[in-house]
Short mmCIF file of all heavy atoms in Angstrom, two decimals:
data_model
loop_
_atom_site.label_atom_id
_atom_site.label_comp_id
_atom_site.label_asym_id
_atom_site.label_seq_id
_atom_site.Cartn_x
_atom_site.Cartn_y
_atom_site.Cartn_z
N SER M 25 -1.12 3.42 0.99
CA SER M 25 -1.18 2.21 0.15
C SER M 25 -2.43 1.35 0.50
O SER M 25 -3.09 1.42 1.57
CB SER M 25 0.06 1.47 0.31
OG SER M 25 0.08 0.76 1.50
N PRO M 26 -2.83 0.53 -0.40
CA PRO M 26 -3.92 -0.41 -0.22
C PRO M 26 -3.49 -1.51 0.82
O PRO M 26 -2.61 -2.15 0.55
CB PRO M 26 -4.21 -1.06 -1.57
CG PRO M 26 -2.78 -0.85 -2.30
CD PRO M 26 -2.16 0.25 -1.82
N GLN M 27 -4.36 -1.65 1.83
CA GLN M 27 -4.02 -2.71 2.87
C GLN M 27 -5.18 -3.57 3.18
O GLN M 27 -6.30 -3.08 3.64
CB GLN M 27 -3.43 -2.01 4.10
CG GLN M 27 -2.26 -1.12 3.85
CD GLN M 27 -1.72 -0.58 5.11
OE1 GLN M 27 -0.98 -1.33 5.80
NE2 GLN M 27 -1.97 0.70 5.44
N PHE M 28 -5.02 -4.82 3.03
CA PHE M 28 -6.03 -5.81 3.28
C PHE M 28 -6.54 -5.71 4.72
O PHE M 28 -5.74 -5.72 5.58
CB PHE M 28 -5.55 -7.24 3.04
CG PHE M 28 -6.57 -8.35 3.04
CD1 PHE M 28 -7.65 -8.15 2.26
CD2 PHE M 28 -6.47 -9.47 3.75
CE1 PHE M 28 -8.81 -9.19 2.29
CE2 PHE M 28 -7.32 -10.49 3.78
CZ PHE M 28 -8.59 -10.29 3.04
N LEU M 29 -7.89 -5.64 4.89
CA LEU M 29 -8.55 -5.49 6.23
C LEU M 29 -8.21 -4.21 6.95
O LEU M 29 -8.55 -4.00 8.11
CB LEU M 29 -8.19 -6.63 7.10
CG LEU M 29 -8.56 -8.07 6.49
CD1 LEU M 29 -8.30 -9.29 7.51
CD2 LEU M 29 -9.99 -8.08 6.00
N VAL M 30 -7.50 -3.17 6.35
CA VAL M 30 -7.15 -2.07 6.95
C VAL M 30 -7.61 -0.81 6.23
O VAL M 30 -8.13 0.18 6.99
CB VAL M 30 -5.51 -1.86 6.98
CG1 VAL M 30 -5.11 -0.59 7.41
CG2 VAL M 30 -5.00 -2.99 7.89
N PRO M 49 -7.78 -2.13 -1.33
CA PRO M 49 -7.88 -3.37 -2.17
C PRO M 49 -9.30 -3.70 -2.46
O PRO M 49 -10.06 -3.67 -1.48
CB PRO M 49 -7.19 -4.33 -1.38
CG PRO M 49 -7.03 -3.90 -0.01
CD PRO M 49 -7.31 -2.51 0.06
N ASN M 52 -11.22 -5.89 0.00
CA ASN M 52 -11.63 -5.61 1.32
C ASN M 52 -13.25 -5.57 1.39
O ASN M 52 -13.80 -5.46 2.38
CB ASN M 52 -11.09 -4.11 1.71
CG ASN M 52 -9.74 -4.37 2.43
OD1 ASN M 52 -9.35 -5.45 2.63
ND2 ASN M 52 -9.14 -3.15 2.71
N ASN M 82 -6.71 -1.33 -5.45
CA ASN M 82 -5.71 -2.26 -5.84
C ASN M 82 -6.44 -3.56 -6.34
O ASN M 82 -7.37 -3.96 -5.67
CB ASN M 82 -4.88 -2.71 -4.50
CG ASN M 82 -4.19 -4.00 -4.68
OD1 ASN M 82 -4.20 -4.92 -3.82
ND2 ASN M 82 -3.31 -4.15 -5.68
N ILE M 84 -5.90 -7.37 -7.65
CA ILE M 84 -5.03 -8.52 -7.80
C ILE M 84 -5.22 -9.10 -9.16
O ILE M 84 -6.29 -9.72 -9.45
CB ILE M 84 -5.29 -9.58 -6.67
CG1 ILE M 84 -5.37 -8.98 -5.26
CG2 ILE M 84 -4.32 -10.72 -6.74
CD1 ILE M 84 -3.94 -8.52 -4.70
N ILE M 108 -3.85 0.26 -8.84
CA ILE M 108 -2.58 -0.42 -8.47
C ILE M 108 -2.78 -1.79 -8.74
O ILE M 108 -3.61 -2.49 -8.16
CB ILE M 108 -2.28 -0.06 -7.00
CG1 ILE M 108 -2.09 1.38 -6.85
CG2 ILE M 108 -1.02 -0.93 -6.68
CD1 ILE M 108 -1.95 1.90 -5.37
N SER M 110 -1.24 -5.86 -8.82
CA SER M 110 -0.12 -6.68 -8.27
C SER M 110 -0.28 -8.02 -8.88
O SER M 110 -1.35 -8.46 -9.29
CB SER M 110 -0.30 -6.84 -6.78
OG SER M 110 -1.21 -6.04 -6.17
N ASP M 131 3.09 -2.76 -8.85
CA ASP M 131 4.18 -2.85 -7.74
C ASP M 131 5.09 -4.01 -8.08
O ASP M 131 4.74 -5.07 -8.47
CB ASP M 131 3.61 -2.90 -6.34
CG ASP M 131 2.78 -3.99 -5.85
OD1 ASP M 131 2.84 -5.09 -6.66
OD2 ASP M 131 1.98 -3.88 -4.92
N ILE M 150 5.95 0.88 -8.72
CA ILE M 150 5.98 1.15 -7.19
C ILE M 150 7.08 0.06 -6.86
O ILE M 150 6.90 -1.13 -6.94
CB ILE M 150 4.72 0.79 -6.53
CG1 ILE M 150 3.53 1.65 -7.06
CG2 ILE M 150 4.86 0.94 -4.98
CD1 ILE M 150 2.14 1.16 -6.63
N VAL M 152 8.62 -1.84 -4.09
CA VAL M 152 8.31 -2.26 -2.74
C VAL M 152 9.60 -2.97 -2.27
O VAL M 152 9.95 -4.12 -2.74
CB VAL M 152 7.12 -3.34 -2.77
CG1 VAL M 152 6.89 -3.78 -1.33
CG2 VAL M 152 5.95 -2.54 -3.29
N GLY M 155 11.80 -4.66 4.07
CA GLY M 155 11.25 -4.09 5.30
C GLY M 155 9.80 -3.45 5.13
O GLY M 155 9.31 -3.06 6.15
N ALA M 156 9.22 -3.61 3.94
CA ALA M 156 7.82 -3.16 3.79
C ALA M 156 6.86 -4.06 4.53
O ALA M 156 7.16 -5.29 4.72
CB ALA M 156 7.47 -3.13 2.30
N GLY M 157 5.65 -3.64 4.81
CA GLY M 157 4.62 -4.44 5.28
C GLY M 157 4.02 -5.23 4.20
O GLY M 157 4.25 -4.92 3.06
N GLY M 158 3.25 -6.25 4.46
CA GLY M 158 2.80 -7.10 3.44
C GLY M 158 3.88 -7.99 2.79
O GLY M 158 4.89 -8.42 3.40
N HIS M 159 3.64 -8.21 1.52
CA HIS M 159 4.60 -9.02 0.61
C HIS M 159 5.84 -8.08 0.25
O HIS M 159 5.92 -7.66 -0.83
CB HIS M 159 3.90 -9.51 -0.55
CG HIS M 159 2.81 -10.46 -0.16
ND1 HIS M 159 1.67 -10.48 -1.01
CD2 HIS M 159 2.59 -11.31 0.65
CE1 HIS M 159 0.85 -11.55 -0.51
NE2 HIS M 159 1.33 -11.86 0.58
N GLY M 183 8.24 2.23 -1.64
CA GLY M 183 7.69 1.78 -0.47
C GLY M 183 8.60 0.88 0.42
O GLY M 183 9.52 0.28 -0.30
N GLY M 184 8.35 0.81 1.66
CA GLY M 184 9.30 0.03 2.63
C GLY M 184 9.73 0.80 3.72
O GLY M 184 10.73 1.57 3.58
N ALA M 185 9.10 0.76 4.86
CA ALA M 185 9.60 1.31 6.14
C ALA M 185 9.58 2.87 6.03
O ALA M 185 10.31 3.51 6.70
CB ALA M 185 10.93 0.81 6.49
N ILE M 186 8.75 3.47 5.23
CA ILE M 186 8.58 4.91 5.21
C ILE M 186 7.51 5.29 6.19
O ILE M 186 6.38 4.99 5.96
CB ILE M 186 8.25 5.40 3.81
CG1 ILE M 186 9.34 4.97 2.85
CG2 ILE M 186 8.02 6.94 3.75
CD1 ILE M 186 9.10 5.35 1.32
N TYR M 204 5.30 5.58 -0.85
CA TYR M 204 4.16 4.65 -0.89
C TYR M 204 4.16 4.11 0.63
O TYR M 204 5.10 3.48 1.07
CB TYR M 204 4.53 3.51 -1.82
CG TYR M 204 3.35 2.65 -2.19
CD1 TYR M 204 2.23 3.04 -2.76
CD2 TYR M 204 3.44 1.23 -1.87
CE1 TYR M 204 1.18 2.12 -3.12
CE2 TYR M 204 2.50 0.33 -2.26
CZ TYR M 204 1.30 0.88 -2.91
OH TYR M 204 0.39 -0.05 -3.34
N MET M 205 3.17 4.63 1.48
CA MET M 205 3.12 4.29 2.76
C MET M 205 2.02 3.33 3.31
O MET M 205 0.90 3.75 3.03
CB MET M 205 3.03 5.59 3.60
CG MET M 205 4.35 6.52 3.32
SD MET M 205 4.16 8.17 4.10
CE MET M 205 4.33 7.75 5.81
N GLY M 206 2.40 2.30 3.93
CA GLY M 206 1.30 1.39 4.39
C GLY M 206 1.33 1.29 5.96
O GLY M 206 0.42 1.90 6.51
N THR M 207 2.39 0.71 6.53
CA THR M 207 2.29 0.44 7.94
C THR M 207 1.91 1.82 8.76
O THR M 207 1.20 1.70 9.74
CB THR M 207 3.65 -0.02 8.37
OG1 THR M 207 3.83 -1.35 7.72
CG2 THR M 207 3.75 -0.18 9.90
N ARG M 208 2.49 2.86 8.41
CA ARG M 208 2.22 4.12 9.18
C ARG M 208 0.70 4.38 9.19
O ARG M 208 0.11 4.99 10.11
CB ARG M 208 3.00 5.31 8.49
CG ARG M 208 2.67 6.79 9.14
CD ARG M 208 3.09 6.93 10.60
NE ARG M 208 1.93 6.72 11.42
CZ ARG M 208 1.77 7.03 12.66
NH1 ARG M 208 2.74 7.87 13.24
NH2 ARG M 208 0.72 6.95 13.41
N ILE M 210 -1.60 2.18 9.16
CA ILE M 210 -2.53 1.12 9.94
C ILE M 210 -2.87 1.88 11.16
O ILE M 210 -4.03 1.86 11.73
CB ILE M 210 -1.63 -0.07 10.29
CG1 ILE M 210 -1.10 -0.84 9.17
CG2 ILE M 210 -2.38 -1.02 11.38
CD1 ILE M 210 -0.21 -2.02 9.35
N HIS M 221 -4.32 -4.43 16.80
CA HIS M 221 -3.35 -4.38 15.68
C HIS M 221 -2.65 -2.98 15.77
O HIS M 221 -1.46 -2.88 15.71
CB HIS M 221 -4.04 -4.59 14.38
CG HIS M 221 -3.09 -4.78 13.18
ND1 HIS M 221 -3.58 -5.02 11.98
CD2 HIS M 221 -1.79 -4.65 12.93
CE1 HIS M 221 -2.65 -5.00 11.01
NE2 HIS M 221 -1.50 -4.84 11.68
N TRP M 277 -3.22 -12.19 8.20
CA TRP M 277 -3.94 -10.93 8.07
C TRP M 277 -5.00 -10.68 9.09
O TRP M 277 -5.13 -9.56 9.67
CB TRP M 277 -4.48 -10.57 6.68
CG TRP M 277 -3.60 -11.11 5.53
CD1 TRP M 277 -3.68 -12.23 4.78
CD2 TRP M 277 -2.33 -10.42 5.08
NE1 TRP M 277 -2.66 -12.35 3.83
CE2 TRP M 277 -1.84 -11.32 4.12
CE3 TRP M 277 -1.67 -9.42 5.52
CZ2 TRP M 277 -0.56 -11.01 3.41
CZ3 TRP M 277 -0.40 -9.11 4.87
CH2 TRP M 277 0.07 -9.83 3.92
N TRP M 281 -1.05 -10.51 12.27
CA TRP M 281 -1.06 -9.25 11.60
C TRP M 281 0.11 -8.80 10.93
O TRP M 281 1.28 -8.99 11.56
CB TRP M 281 -1.43 -8.17 12.69
CG TRP M 281 -2.83 -8.30 13.32
CD1 TRP M 281 -3.93 -8.65 12.57
CD2 TRP M 281 -3.07 -8.33 14.67
NE1 TRP M 281 -4.95 -8.81 13.50
CE2 TRP M 281 -4.54 -8.54 14.79
CE3 TRP M 281 -2.42 -7.93 15.86
CZ2 TRP M 281 -5.20 -8.58 15.95
CZ3 TRP M 281 -2.97 -7.87 17.05
CH2 TRP M 281 -4.47 -8.13 17.15
N SER M 282 0.04 -8.16 9.89
CA SER M 282 1.17 -7.70 9.12
C SER M 282 1.58 -6.29 9.43
O SER M 282 0.71 -5.48 9.72
CB SER M 282 0.93 -7.75 7.60
OG SER M 282 2.07 -7.33 6.80
N ALA M 283 2.94 -6.06 9.34
CA ALA M 283 3.38 -4.62 9.43
C ALA M 283 4.88 -4.75 9.00
O ALA M 283 5.42 -5.73 8.99
CB ALA M 283 3.35 -4.19 10.96
N GLY M 284 5.35 -3.57 8.55
CA GLY M 284 6.77 -3.47 8.09
C GLY M 284 7.64 -2.92 9.20
O GLY M 284 7.28 -2.67 10.27
N GLN M 285 9.06 -2.95 8.79
CA GLN M 285 10.03 -2.56 9.78
C GLN M 285 9.84 -1.01 10.19
O GLN M 285 10.55 -0.71 11.19
CB GLN M 285 11.39 -2.81 9.24
CG GLN M 285 11.72 -4.30 9.08
CD GLN M 285 12.97 -4.71 8.31
OE1 GLN M 285 13.71 -3.66 7.94
NE2 GLN M 285 13.26 -5.92 8.12
N GLY M 286 9.13 -0.32 9.44
CA GLY M 286 8.93 1.13 9.85
C GLY M 286 8.21 1.35 11.13
O GLY M 286 8.04 2.49 11.60
C1 FMN Y 20 -1.71 -5.12 6.93
C2 FMN Y 20 -1.18 -4.98 5.50
C3 FMN Y 20 -2.07 -5.41 4.48
C4 FMN Y 20 -1.57 -5.15 3.17
N1 FMN Y 20 -2.49 -5.53 2.15
C5 FMN Y 20 -2.19 -5.25 0.74
C6 FMN Y 20 -2.99 -5.60 -0.30
O1 FMN Y 20 -4.21 -5.97 -0.10
N2 FMN Y 20 -2.70 -5.22 -1.52
C7 FMN Y 20 -1.43 -4.66 -1.78
O2 FMN Y 20 -1.14 -4.35 -2.92
N3 FMN Y 20 -0.55 -4.33 -0.80
C8 FMN Y 20 -0.84 -4.71 0.53
N4 FMN Y 20 0.04 -4.42 1.52
C9 FMN Y 20 1.23 -3.85 1.15
C10 FMN Y 20 1.16 -2.27 1.06
O3 FMN Y 20 0.33 -1.83 0.14
C11 FMN Y 20 2.59 -1.61 0.88
O4 FMN Y 20 3.29 -2.18 -0.21
C12 FMN Y 20 3.41 -1.57 2.05
O5 FMN Y 20 2.67 -1.51 3.23
C13 FMN Y 20 4.56 -0.51 2.16
O6 FMN Y 20 5.51 -0.70 3.07
P1 FMN Y 20 5.26 -0.12 4.73
O7 FMN Y 20 4.26 -0.95 5.25
O8 FMN Y 20 6.65 -0.36 5.27
O9 FMN Y 20 4.90 1.34 4.54
C14 FMN Y 20 -0.39 -4.53 2.76
C15 FMN Y 20 0.50 -4.19 3.85
C16 FMN Y 20 0.05 -4.37 5.23
C17 FMN Y 20 0.93 -3.81 6.35
#
Side-chain angles (χ1 to χ4, degrees):
S25 77
Q27 302 188 75
F28 189 52
L29 306 183
V30 170
N52 271 355
N82 166 232
I84 306 287
I108 294 166
S110 357
D131 66 19
I150 304 167
V152 179
H159 297 145
I186 299 178
Y204 193 63
M205 298 175 68
T207 297
R208 173 61 268 197
I210 295 172
H221 187 182
W277 317 106
W281 298 316
S282 180
Q285 292 174 0

